[in-house]
Amino acid sequence: MNVLVIGNGGREHAIVHALAKSPLVDKMYCMKGNAGIAELAECVDVDYCDVKAVGDWVDAHPDVEYTVIAPDDPLALGLADELEGRGHRVFGPNKAAAQIEASKSFAKQLMKKYGIPTAAYEVFDDYDKALAYVRGGKFPVVLKADGLALGKGVLICETLAEAEQGLRQIMLDKAFGAAGNKVVVEEFLQGKEFTPGEEVSVLTFTDGKTIVPMLASCDHKRALDGDKGLNTGGMGTFTPCPFYSQEIADEVMQNILLPTVHAMNAEGRPFKGVLYCGLMRTPEGMKVVEYNARFGDPETQVVLPMLKTDLMEIFQAITDERLADINIEWEQGACVCVVLASGGYPQKYEKGKPIEIGALDEDVILYHAGTARKDGALVTSGGRVLGVCAKGATVAEARKKAYANIQKIKFEGMQYRSDIGIKYNAGV
Ligand code: AMP
Ligand code: GLY
C-alpha cells in the first residue's frame, strides 16, 4: 500500500519511521516532510492547511491508498472530512470530533456535562465580564485562549495585575489571533506531592468504540532547565512515567478515557484517531488539563519506538472500527528524546544554519523536525530542529545515551535542556 503522511515535524518523522517497518507499506509520501523524512518518503510541497488542494493532490495520485493526518490545524479545518468525502481512506478525526482540541471551551463543556474530572472554569467572549470575574476570583488563575495557538495560548497568572494584562493580551490585543475571541478562565490545579502538579501525557488509539492507551510519557514544555522560561511545543520527553502506576492507569481508564469516548458518541461526534489526554495528578485524583486530537510532539518520538505491533495495522483497524480485534504490544524498558532547538526558540530565531552530525550510536534514532537541504547540505529550517532519541533498560540509561550522542551534533545557536528524564525522580 502507498501511504501519504501529512505534516513536517519530528512527530511525523517518527510516524514515517514506524510505518517504514510495516510490511503493509510500500511507498510513502509526506506533505511537506523535512530532510530526515525525505530519506524514507517522497516529500510533496503542497500547503496541507489548504484542504481542497490536498484533496486535489490525492485525487491526482490514485496510487495513494491511505492518508495519515498528524497535525492539529488540518484536522480542525476538516481535512479528514474532505478526503473521506472524496472516497479516500484516512487516519485522523473529522472536523466535528477534532473540536475537542480546537476549542477549549467545547472540551470544558463536554467534561462538565459528562462528569469528567477537570479544573473548574468559566468561558467568556466579553472582555469586561471576564475582567470582572477574574477580579472577584482566586490566584493563581489560568487563562486559556479558546482556539489553536501552537501550545502557547495558556497563561498562568500569579496576581490580579498579571491576569488583567493576560486578558488584555488574549482578548483585546489578540496575541493569539482569533483563538482569543473566547477565553477560558480556569482554576489553578495544585499538585499532590509537588506544586504544580505532576503531569503525564496519555496518548490513546480509539476507533470510537474501543480505546487503547499507549505508553504514558512526560513532556517538558518550558524552554529552560528546571521548567523555567517560555512555553514551547515541547523540549523533550521520556517514557515510562514513574508515577503512572497500574492503579492510576485504571482510574484514568474508568474516569477519563471511557467517559470521553462515550461523551463524544453521545454528542454525535464519534472520535476516531489518536486522542491525547494531558493529565495532572491532584489530591482529588487525575484530572484533564487538555485534550488533543492527534499524536503529541515530542511524545510520539518516545512512544512509537516502543511499539511492537505494526502501526499500519493499527491505523487500518481504527479506520475499519475493529480496534477491539487487535492486540497492541509494547517493548519493556525506557525511551528518552531530547529536542535540539535553534537559538532564540520559542521566540525569534535564525534559519539556514549548517548542521554537523558525527557517527551516532547505532541504536540512537535522530528524528528531524526543522531541517532542510540547501545545495545538498543539511541546514536548520525551524525552531525545533532535531530530536535525539535513545532507548535503555531504564530512563537513566536511555538519558545517558541520548546526551552522549548530542555531543556529536552541532549547529550555530543550538540549545537544549540538560534535564530531560530527571523529573518525578525518573532518571536517578
Ligand atoms: P495546555 O496547553 O492546556 O496543556 O497548558 C499548558 C500547561 O499549563 C500545562 O501543561 C500545565 O503545566 C499548565 N496548566 C494548564 N492548565 C492548568 C491548570 N488548570 N492548573 C495548573 N496548571 C495548568
Ligand atoms: N507535546 C505537546 C503537544 O503535542 O501538544
Side-chain angles (χ1 to χ4, degrees):
M1 182 177 5
N2 292 356
V3 177
L4 168 65
V5 176
I6 305 285
N8 53 3
R11 164 184 56 204
E12 288 75 13
H13 195 186
I15 292 170
V16 166
H17 194 266
L19 291 177
K21 291 189 255 176
S22 170
L24 298 170
V25 176
D26 299 317
K27 181 181 165 91
M28 276 186 281
Y29 297 91
C30 189
M31 196 182 276
K32 304 185 156 201
N34 58 38
I37 292 172
E39 289 174 19
L40 299 168
E42 184 179 323
C43 294
V44 179
D45 191 13
V46 171
D47 173 11
Y48 57 68
C49 287
D50 183 344
V51 296
K52 189 172 171 302
V54 180
D56 290 346
W57 188 91
V58 178
D59 279 349
H61 292 78
D63 65 308
V64 173
E65 289 162 78
Y66 196 91
T67 299
V68 179
I69 309 169
D72 49 1
D73 315 281
L75 290 168
L77 290 166
L79 181 55
D81 313 61
E82 177 75 23
L83 294 178
E84 277 171 353
R86 296 178 187 230
H88 302 299
R89 281 166 69 75
V90 173
F91 182 80
N94 63 20
K95 185 174 181 173
Q99 279 296 101
I100 200 166
E101 170 172 10
S103 168
K104 290 195 189 278
S105 57
F106 169 80
K108 294 298 286 189
Q109 278 148 10
L110 186 85
M111 289 186 270
K112 189 185 261 181
K113 182 167 171 189
Y114 293 91
I116 298 166
T118 188
Y121 75 98
E122 292 292 333
V123 180
F124 297 94
D125 54 14
D126 182 278
Y127 170 75
D128 293 317
K129 286 191 182 141
L131 191 61
Y133 177 80
V134 162
R135 284 185 172 148
K138 283 194 283 190
F139 296 90
V141 69
V142 184
L143 307 180
K144 299 187 174 183
D146 183 55
L148 296 177
L150 295 169
K152 292 166 195 158
V154 175
L155 304 177
I156 296 176
C157 305
E158 304 284 343
T159 62
L160 178 59
E162 272 180 47
E164 286 180 347
Q165 194 198 348
L167 278 181
R168 207 176 312 123
Q169 230 184 319
I170 296 175
M171 298 189 85
L172 300 183
D173 303 346
K174 297 276 190 254
F176 310 105
N181 290 348
K182 274 196 222 168
V183 68
V184 175
V185 181
E186 213 175 86
E187 159 208 18
F188 179 78
L189 294 174
Q190 302 285 348
K192 191 165 188 173
E193 284 153 27
F194 300 92
T195 305
E198 293 152 304
E199 290 183 60
V200 57
S201 302
V202 178
L203 283 58
T204 68
F205 292 114
T206 178
D207 60 359
K209 297 174 177 161
T210 304
I211 185 159
V212 182
M214 303 181 214
L215 297 178
S217 58
C218 298
D219 190 10
H220 299 69
K221 289 198 166 122
R222 301 296 197 100
L224 307 175
D225 281 9
D227 289 334
K228 302 240 162 43
L230 295 171
N231 262 319
T232 70
M235 293 298 287
T237 37
F238 63 85
T239 185
C241 168
F243 69 82
Y244 203 72
S245 61
Q246 188 56 49
E247 194 188 345
I248 293 181
D250 292 344
E251 173 196 329
V252 167
M253 181 55 93
Q254 291 311 317
N255 296 349
I256 296 172
L257 303 185
L258 291 171
T260 304
V261 169
H262 164 76
M264 292 299 277
N265 285 331
E267 292 295 307
R269 298 169 187 260
F271 190 102
K272 289 168 66 172
V274 170
L275 178 69
Y276 163 140
C277 299
L279 306 176
M280 195 178 280
R281 189 183 183 199
T282 79
E284 300 91 51
M286 299 298 288
K287 292 192 182 181
V288 177
V289 176
E290 65 163 346
Y291 288 118
N292 293 319
R294 51 165 177 84
F295 280 103
D297 187 341
E299 285 89 341
T300 308
Q301 291 90 311
V302 290
V303 170
L304 289 186
M306 306 298 279
L307 178 65
K308 286 209 264 184
T309 310
D310 182 337
L311 183 61
M312 194 62 226
E313 204 181 304
I314 299 174
F315 284 167
Q316 300 227 72
I318 290 172
T319 304
D320 299 333
E321 296 177 24
R322 48 176 180 77
L323 186 58
D325 299 344
I326 64 170
N327 188 22
I328 298 181
E329 292 184 299
W330 302 93
E331 284 178 26
Q332 297 288 322
C335 190
V336 172
C337 177
V338 181
V339 170
L340 308 181
S342 295
Y345 174 79
Q347 293 178 296
K348 218 165 125 339
Y349 55 83
E350 288 176 26
K351 299 182 188 177
K353 305 289 179 198
I355 306 172
E356 277 174 53
I357 303 173
L360 304 183
D361 291 350
E362 221 167 80
D363 54 347
V364 164
I365 313 175
L366 186 62
Y367 289 122
H368 289 233
T371 68
R373 294 258 167 214
K374 197 170 143 199
D375 306 324
L378 189 65
V379 297
T380 67
S381 68
R384 292 188 290 178
V385 177
L386 294 163
V388 181
C389 179
K391 291 191 211 174
T394 61
V395 172
E397 198 182 300
R399 172 183 144 73
K400 199 169 156 200
K401 195 186 287 175
Y403 280 104
N405 280 275
I406 285 173
Q407 306 315 314
K408 305 174 198 167
I409 303 172
K410 282 193 192 73
F411 56 87
E412 192 189 310
M414 179 171 111
Q415 56 154 336
Y416 57 91
R417 279 182 60 161
S418 67
D419 63 349
I420 305 300
I422 287 179
K423 68 177 172 186
Y424 316 142
N425 295 320
V428 291

